[in-house]
Amino acid sequence: MSLFWRIFLLNAAVLMVAAVLLLGPVTVSTPVRPGEALAVVIGLVVMLVVSAVVLRIGLAPLGRLSRAMATADLLRPGNRPPVTGPAEMADLIGTYHTMLDRLEHDRASSTARVLSAQEDERHRIAQELHDEVGQTLTVVLLQLKRVADRAPADLREEVALAQEATRGTLDEIRRIARRLRPGVLDELGLASALRALGAEFPDHGVAVRTRVAGAPRTAPALDHDTELVVYRVAQEALTNAARHARAREVTLELRRAGGRTELVVTDDGRGIGEAAEGAGIRGMRERALLIGAELTVGPRTGAPGTEVRLHVREPVEETDP
């Protein structure tokens, strides 16, 4: 039973006892006159209604706090019930705000450490793939070429097939290394990295149209961590469109205007529907929170498919007085 009904029923019991006493032994006349009985009943109803209204108003902050706690999501900060009500209730809501702020801060700090370690590990694996596996396959490819030059005619076709398989494996290793650590992002910037990312996905059966609007190289530029977050969000959105949405065409747009950078990825797939957010979308939200960006994932307007939007506020340049 809720606190409201506990207090209300307790007040109702007390008032009913008082009414019975007034209609019974404690009365102004014997027998009870109809007018007196009617006055007592009306008074009882009025007191019950007033008690219910007062309790409902008094306990409303507690109800808002309960709903806020039930719907709290650390990946969607900002949902805070107002600090209202009696002193005890206001203290309770303020304590909840403090606890939620601490949880969001701790989660952001731990997520930053985890993602940083993840990027370092990706860089290490990409480097090893490029330096160790890639070089080994290159040596194998050269050796196969020497074998093909000396092999009899009846074996050259098989050696050629082995060369093609090795060359395809080498290309796949290099593609994986680029996805793990996009070197073009460090060397040429975000716009070129997104174009290179879109150029990779036709191999997965998805046609990607990449558009960059505005002046992507004009100041104030995004820092490296922010560019990496934008790139990873675009990468995850394209992967979801190809792997889960079964999309055939995806549009990847990077816009920069009015001190804001906006990444928009739309596809013509089957959409997310009522399905719960998976690890990929939650990972995008975690990355967006690290740079104070706003991420929205939902259906396209007026067309089937999914739309991913990432709004990033660019840093403001400091001017000398």
PDB file of all heavy atoms in Angstrom, residues 10 25 27 37-38 70 73 85 96 113 123 131 145-146 168 174 184 188-189 232 237 295 303 308 312 315:
ATOM      1  N   LEU A  10      -5.737   6.204   7.574  1.00  0.00           N
ATOM      2  CA  LEU A  10      -5.591   6.495   8.999  1.00  0.00           C
ATOM      3  C   LEU A  10      -6.416   7.723   9.381  1.00  0.00           C
ATOM      4  O   LEU A  10      -7.150   7.723  10.386  1.00  0.00           O
ATOM      5  CB  LEU A  10      -4.116   6.720   9.338  1.00  0.00           C
ATOM      6  CG  LEU A  10      -3.794   7.005  10.801  1.00  0.00           C
ATOM      7  CD1 LEU A  10      -4.224   5.852  11.696  1.00  0.00           C
ATOM      8  CD2 LEU A  10      -2.312   7.289  10.984  1.00  0.00           C
ATOM      9  N   PRO A  25     -23.276   8.322  21.358  1.00  0.00           N
ATOM     10  CA  PRO A  25     -23.433   8.868  22.725  1.00  0.00           C
ATOM     11  C   PRO A  25     -23.118  10.337  22.832  1.00  0.00           C
ATOM     12  O   PRO A  25     -23.680  11.051  23.665  1.00  0.00           O
ATOM     13  CB  PRO A  25     -22.455   8.019  23.539  1.00  0.00           C
ATOM     14  CG  PRO A  25     -21.449   7.531  22.551  1.00  0.00           C
ATOM     15  CD  PRO A  25     -22.206   7.331  21.280  1.00  0.00           C
ATOM     16  N   THR A  27     -23.793  13.458  21.452  1.00  0.00           N
ATOM     17  CA  THR A  27     -24.671  14.169  20.524  1.00  0.00           C
ATOM     18  C   THR A  27     -25.402  15.269  21.274  1.00  0.00           C
ATOM     19  O   THR A  27     -25.447  15.289  22.508  1.00  0.00           O
ATOM     20  CB  THR A  27     -25.694  13.214  19.894  1.00  0.00           C
ATOM     21  OG1 THR A  27     -26.491  13.933  18.962  1.00  0.00           O
ATOM     22  CG2 THR A  27     -26.582  12.588  20.947  1.00  0.00           C
ATOM     23  N   ALA A  37     -27.699  14.708  11.658  1.00  0.00           N
ATOM     24  CA  ALA A  37     -27.005  13.605  10.976  1.00  0.00           C
ATOM     25  C   ALA A  37     -26.489  14.035   9.606  1.00  0.00           C
ATOM     26  O   ALA A  37     -25.353  13.721   9.212  1.00  0.00           O
ATOM     27  CB  ALA A  37     -27.940  12.410  10.845  1.00  0.00           C
ATOM     28  N   LEU A  38     -27.309  14.782   8.868  1.00  0.00           N
ATOM     29  CA  LEU A  38     -26.884  15.245   7.544  1.00  0.00           C
ATOM     30  C   LEU A  38     -25.690  16.180   7.654  1.00  0.00           C
ATOM     31  O   LEU A  38     -24.742  16.103   6.859  1.00  0.00           O
ATOM     32  CB  LEU A  38     -28.051  15.940   6.846  1.00  0.00           C
ATOM     33  CG  LEU A  38     -27.768  16.488   5.438  1.00  0.00           C
ATOM     34  CD1 LEU A  38     -27.375  15.348   4.499  1.00  0.00           C
ATOM     35  CD2 LEU A  38     -28.985  17.238   4.895  1.00  0.00           C
ATOM     36  N   ALA A  70      12.685   5.692 -11.352  1.00  0.00           N
ATOM     37  CA  ALA A  70      12.342   4.525 -12.172  1.00  0.00           C
ATOM     38  C   ALA A  70      12.801   4.686 -13.613  1.00  0.00           C
ATOM     39  O   ALA A  70      13.091   3.685 -14.289  1.00  0.00           O
ATOM     40  CB  ALA A  70      10.834   4.283 -12.125  1.00  0.00           C
ATOM     41  N   ASP A  73      18.416   7.124 -16.418  1.00  0.00           N
ATOM     42  CA  ASP A  73      19.354   6.462 -17.315  1.00  0.00           C
ATOM     43  C   ASP A  73      20.622   7.301 -17.347  1.00  0.00           C
ATOM     44  O   ASP A  73      20.589   8.474 -17.750  1.00  0.00           O
ATOM     45  CB  ASP A  73      18.760   6.323 -18.720  1.00  0.00           C
ATOM     46  CG  ASP A  73      19.634   5.468 -19.633  1.00  0.00           C
ATOM     47  OD1 ASP A  73      20.765   5.127 -19.238  1.00  0.00           O
ATOM     48  OD2 ASP A  73      19.193   5.140 -20.743  1.00  0.00           O
ATOM     49  N   GLY A  85       8.467  20.693  -1.875  1.00  0.00           N
ATOM     50  CA  GLY A  85       7.842  19.949  -0.787  1.00  0.00           C
ATOM     51  C   GLY A  85       8.405  20.335   0.565  1.00  0.00           C
ATOM     52  O   GLY A  85       9.203  21.277   0.695  1.00  0.00           O
ATOM     53  N   TYR A  96      19.127  12.695  -3.651  1.00  0.00           N
ATOM     54  CA  TYR A  96      19.049  11.904  -4.872  1.00  0.00           C
ATOM     55  C   TYR A  96      19.796  12.589  -6.017  1.00  0.00           C
ATOM     56  O   TYR A  96      20.516  11.936  -6.783  1.00  0.00           O
ATOM     57  CB  TYR A  96      17.584  11.687  -5.248  1.00  0.00           C
ATOM     58  CG  TYR A  96      17.384  11.101  -6.621  1.00  0.00           C
ATOM     59  CD1 TYR A  96      17.716   9.774  -6.887  1.00  0.00           C
ATOM     60  CD2 TYR A  96      16.862  11.870  -7.657  1.00  0.00           C
ATOM     61  CE1 TYR A  96      17.540   9.234  -8.141  1.00  0.00           C
ATOM     62  CE2 TYR A  96      16.678  11.327  -8.918  1.00  0.00           C
ATOM     63  CZ  TYR A  96      17.016  10.013  -9.149  1.00  0.00           C
ATOM     64  OH  TYR A  96      16.837   9.483 -10.404  1.00  0.00           O
ATOM     65  N   ARG A 113      38.179   5.959 -19.210  1.00  0.00           N
ATOM     66  CA  ARG A 113      39.351   5.092 -19.052  1.00  0.00           C
ATOM     67  C   ARG A 113      39.229   3.832 -19.905  1.00  0.00           C
ATOM     68  O   ARG A 113      40.198   3.389 -20.533  1.00  0.00           O
ATOM     69  CB  ARG A 113      39.539   4.723 -17.582  1.00  0.00           C
ATOM     70  CG  ARG A 113      39.966   5.887 -16.699  1.00  0.00           C
ATOM     71  CD  ARG A 113      40.409   5.403 -15.338  1.00  0.00           C
ATOM     72  NE  ARG A 113      39.324   4.777 -14.601  1.00  0.00           N
ATOM     73  CZ  ARG A 113      38.518   5.414 -13.776  1.00  0.00           C
ATOM     74  NH1 ARG A 113      38.674   6.713 -13.584  1.00  0.00           N
ATOM     75  NH2 ARG A 113      37.568   4.776 -13.138  1.00  0.00           N
ATOM     76  N   HIS A 123      45.014   0.300 -31.372  1.00  0.00           N
ATOM     77  CA  HIS A 123      46.217   0.798 -32.041  1.00  0.00           C
ATOM     78  C   HIS A 123      47.311  -0.253 -32.023  1.00  0.00           C
ATOM     79  O   HIS A 123      48.009  -0.471 -33.031  1.00  0.00           O
ATOM     80  CB  HIS A 123      46.686   2.077 -31.354  1.00  0.00           C
ATOM     81  CG  HIS A 123      47.879   2.695 -32.000  1.00  0.00           C
ATOM     82  ND1 HIS A 123      49.163   2.419 -31.611  1.00  0.00           N
ATOM     83  CD2 HIS A 123      47.979   3.572 -33.034  1.00  0.00           C
ATOM     84  CE1 HIS A 123      50.017   3.094 -32.354  1.00  0.00           C
ATOM     85  NE2 HIS A 123      49.329   3.803 -33.234  1.00  0.00           N
ATOM     86  N   ASP A 131      52.497  -4.623 -39.167  1.00  0.00           N
ATOM     87  CA  ASP A 131      53.937  -4.875 -39.166  1.00  0.00           C
ATOM     88  C   ASP A 131      54.278  -6.361 -39.218  1.00  0.00           C
ATOM     89  O   ASP A 131      55.216  -6.756 -39.929  1.00  0.00           O
ATOM     90  CB  ASP A 131      54.577  -4.249 -37.925  1.00  0.00           C
ATOM     91  CG  ASP A 131      54.475  -2.735 -37.928  1.00  0.00           C
ATOM     92  OD1 ASP A 131      54.210  -2.171 -39.007  1.00  0.00           O
ATOM     93  OD2 ASP A 131      54.630  -2.125 -36.865  1.00  0.00           O
ATOM     94  N   LYS A 145      55.332 -15.796 -55.980  1.00  0.00           N
ATOM     95  CA  LYS A 145      55.659 -15.290 -57.322  1.00  0.00           C
ATOM     96  C   LYS A 145      56.908 -15.997 -57.880  1.00  0.00           C
ATOM     97  O   LYS A 145      56.962 -16.351 -59.066  1.00  0.00           O
ATOM     98  CB  LYS A 145      55.878 -13.782 -57.268  1.00  0.00           C
ATOM     99  CG  LYS A 145      56.107 -13.147 -58.638  1.00  0.00           C
ATOM    100  CD  LYS A 145      56.266 -11.663 -58.527  1.00  0.00           C
ATOM    101  CE  LYS A 145      56.401 -11.031 -59.932  1.00  0.00           C
ATOM    102  NZ  LYS A 145      57.508 -11.622 -60.709  1.00  0.00           N
ATOM    103  N   ARG A 146      57.893 -16.200 -57.030  1.00  0.00           N
ATOM    104  CA  ARG A 146      59.100 -16.912 -57.473  1.00  0.00           C
ATOM    105  C   ARG A 146      58.767 -18.349 -57.838  1.00  0.00           C
ATOM    106  O   ARG A 146      59.266 -18.891 -58.830  1.00  0.00           O
ATOM    107  CB  ARG A 146      60.152 -16.871 -56.371  1.00  0.00           C
ATOM    108  CG  ARG A 146      60.693 -15.471 -56.088  1.00  0.00           C
ATOM    109  CD  ARG A 146      61.702 -15.509 -54.960  1.00  0.00           C
ATOM    110  NE  ARG A 146      62.817 -16.401 -55.295  1.00  0.00           N
ATOM    111  CZ  ARG A 146      63.795 -16.730 -54.442  1.00  0.00           C
ATOM    112  NH1 ARG A 146      63.768 -16.248 -53.200  1.00  0.00           N
ATOM    113  NH2 ARG A 146      64.778 -17.526 -54.824  1.00  0.00           N
ATOM    114  N   GLY A 168      44.254 -11.474 -51.411  1.00  0.00           N
ATOM    115  CA  GLY A 168      42.980 -11.100 -50.792  1.00  0.00           C
ATOM    116  C   GLY A 168      43.069 -11.054 -49.272  1.00  0.00           C
ATOM    117  O   GLY A 168      42.501 -10.158 -48.631  1.00  0.00           O
ATOM    118  N   ARG A 174      44.817  -5.479 -44.103  1.00  0.00           N
ATOM    119  CA  ARG A 174      45.019  -4.028 -44.136  1.00  0.00           C
ATOM    120  C   ARG A 174      43.714  -3.292 -43.877  1.00  0.00           C
ATOM    121  O   ARG A 174      43.702  -2.256 -43.196  1.00  0.00           O
ATOM    122  CB  ARG A 174      45.581  -3.635 -45.492  1.00  0.00           C
ATOM    123  CG  ARG A 174      47.027  -4.075 -45.704  1.00  0.00           C
ATOM    124  CD  ARG A 174      47.472  -3.851 -47.136  1.00  0.00           C
ATOM    125  NE  ARG A 174      48.882  -4.192 -47.316  1.00  0.00           N
ATOM    126  CZ  ARG A 174      49.486  -4.267 -48.499  1.00  0.00           C
ATOM    127  NH1 ARG A 174      48.784  -4.016 -49.612  1.00  0.00           N
ATOM    128  NH2 ARG A 174      50.770  -4.594 -48.573  1.00  0.00           N
ATOM    129  N   VAL A 184      44.201   7.631 -41.584  1.00  0.00           N
ATOM    130  CA  VAL A 184      43.826   8.798 -42.383  1.00  0.00           C
ATOM    131  C   VAL A 184      43.234   9.888 -41.501  1.00  0.00           C
ATOM    132  O   VAL A 184      43.323  11.083 -41.830  1.00  0.00           O
ATOM    133  CB  VAL A 184      42.837   8.380 -43.494  1.00  0.00           C
ATOM    134  CG1 VAL A 184      41.515   7.915 -42.907  1.00  0.00           C
ATOM    135  CG2 VAL A 184      42.610   9.506 -44.470  1.00  0.00           C
ATOM    136  N   LEU A 188      44.969  13.216 -42.369  1.00  0.00           N
ATOM    137  CA  LEU A 188      44.227  14.096 -43.268  1.00  0.00           C
ATOM    138  C   LEU A 188      42.998  14.732 -42.646  1.00  0.00           C
ATOM    139  O   LEU A 188      42.369  15.584 -43.278  1.00  0.00           O
ATOM    140  CB  LEU A 188      43.815  13.316 -44.527  1.00  0.00           C
ATOM    141  CG  LEU A 188      44.963  12.714 -45.338  1.00  0.00           C
ATOM    142  CD1 LEU A 188      44.424  11.932 -46.516  1.00  0.00           C
ATOM    143  CD2 LEU A 188      45.932  13.792 -45.796  1.00  0.00           C
ATOM    144  N   GLY A 189      42.603  14.326 -41.447  1.00  0.00           N
ATOM    145  CA  GLY A 189      41.463  14.961 -40.789  1.00  0.00           C
ATOM    146  C   GLY A 189      40.178  14.170 -40.912  1.00  0.00           C
ATOM    147  O   GLY A 189      40.098  13.126 -41.576  1.00  0.00           O
ATOM    148  N   ARG A 232      34.033   7.235 -34.767  1.00  0.00           N
ATOM    149  CA  ARG A 232      33.556   5.955 -34.240  1.00  0.00           C
ATOM    150  C   ARG A 232      32.029   5.861 -34.293  1.00  0.00           C
ATOM    151  O   ARG A 232      31.472   4.786 -34.554  1.00  0.00           O
ATOM    152  CB  ARG A 232      34.044   5.769 -32.801  1.00  0.00           C
ATOM    153  CG  ARG A 232      35.540   5.549 -32.651  1.00  0.00           C
ATOM    154  CD  ARG A 232      36.010   4.351 -33.395  1.00  0.00           C
ATOM    155  NE  ARG A 232      37.420   4.080 -33.150  1.00  0.00           N
ATOM    156  CZ  ARG A 232      38.175   3.287 -33.892  1.00  0.00           C
ATOM    157  NH1 ARG A 232      37.645   2.696 -34.973  1.00  0.00           N
ATOM    158  NH2 ARG A 232      39.442   3.073 -33.606  1.00  0.00           N
ATOM    159  N   ALA A 237      27.387   3.415 -36.820  1.00  0.00           N
ATOM    160  CA  ALA A 237      26.117   3.594 -37.525  1.00  0.00           C
ATOM    161  C   ALA A 237      26.133   2.881 -38.872  1.00  0.00           C
ATOM    162  O   ALA A 237      25.147   2.232 -39.257  1.00  0.00           O
ATOM    163  CB  ALA A 237      25.830   5.081 -37.712  1.00  0.00           C
ATOM    164  N   LEU A 295      23.295  12.833 -28.826  1.00  0.00           N
ATOM    165  CA  LEU A 295      23.061  11.771 -29.790  1.00  0.00           C
ATOM    166  C   LEU A 295      21.590  11.392 -29.790  1.00  0.00           C
ATOM    167  O   LEU A 295      20.996  11.179 -28.737  1.00  0.00           O
ATOM    168  CB  LEU A 295      23.907  10.544 -29.462  1.00  0.00           C
ATOM    169  CG  LEU A 295      23.703   9.331 -30.378  1.00  0.00           C
ATOM    170  CD1 LEU A 295      24.370   9.575 -31.722  1.00  0.00           C
ATOM    171  CD2 LEU A 295      24.247   8.066 -29.733  1.00  0.00           C
ATOM    172  N   ALA A 303       9.991   8.372 -44.115  1.00  0.00           N
ATOM    173  CA  ALA A 303      10.555   7.306 -44.944  1.00  0.00           C
ATOM    174  C   ALA A 303      11.000   6.184 -44.022  1.00  0.00           C
ATOM    175  O   ALA A 303      11.327   6.404 -42.862  1.00  0.00           O
ATOM    176  CB  ALA A 303      11.734   7.823 -45.777  1.00  0.00           C
ATOM    177  N   VAL A 308      20.566   8.556 -37.444  1.00  0.00           N
ATOM    178  CA  VAL A 308      21.462   8.791 -36.308  1.00  0.00           C
ATOM    179  C   VAL A 308      22.005  10.209 -36.438  1.00  0.00           C
ATOM    180  O   VAL A 308      22.579  10.561 -37.471  1.00  0.00           O
ATOM    181  CB  VAL A 308      22.619   7.772 -36.282  1.00  0.00           C
ATOM    182  CG1 VAL A 308      23.574   8.075 -35.135  1.00  0.00           C
ATOM    183  CG2 VAL A 308      22.078   6.355 -36.163  1.00  0.00           C
ATOM    184  N   VAL A 312      27.604  18.162 -32.016  1.00  0.00           N
ATOM    185  CA  VAL A 312      28.809  18.475 -31.257  1.00  0.00           C
ATOM    186  C   VAL A 312      28.987  19.982 -31.250  1.00  0.00           C
ATOM    187  O   VAL A 312      29.022  20.614 -32.313  1.00  0.00           O
ATOM    188  CB  VAL A 312      30.058  17.800 -31.867  1.00  0.00           C
ATOM    189  CG1 VAL A 312      31.291  18.111 -31.022  1.00  0.00           C
ATOM    190  CG2 VAL A 312      29.852  16.304 -31.979  1.00  0.00           C
ATOM    191  N   PRO A 315      34.517  24.067 -29.677  1.00  0.00           N
ATOM    192  CA  PRO A 315      35.084  24.974 -28.663  1.00  0.00           C
ATOM    193  C   PRO A 315      35.114  26.403 -29.149  1.00  0.00           C
ATOM    194  O   PRO A 315      35.293  26.676 -30.334  1.00  0.00           O
ATOM    195  CB  PRO A 315      36.501  24.413 -28.468  1.00  0.00           C
ATOM    196  CG  PRO A 315      36.810  23.690 -29.735  1.00  0.00           C
ATOM    197  CD  PRO A 315      35.506  23.119 -30.210  1.00  0.00           C
TER     198      PRO A 315
END
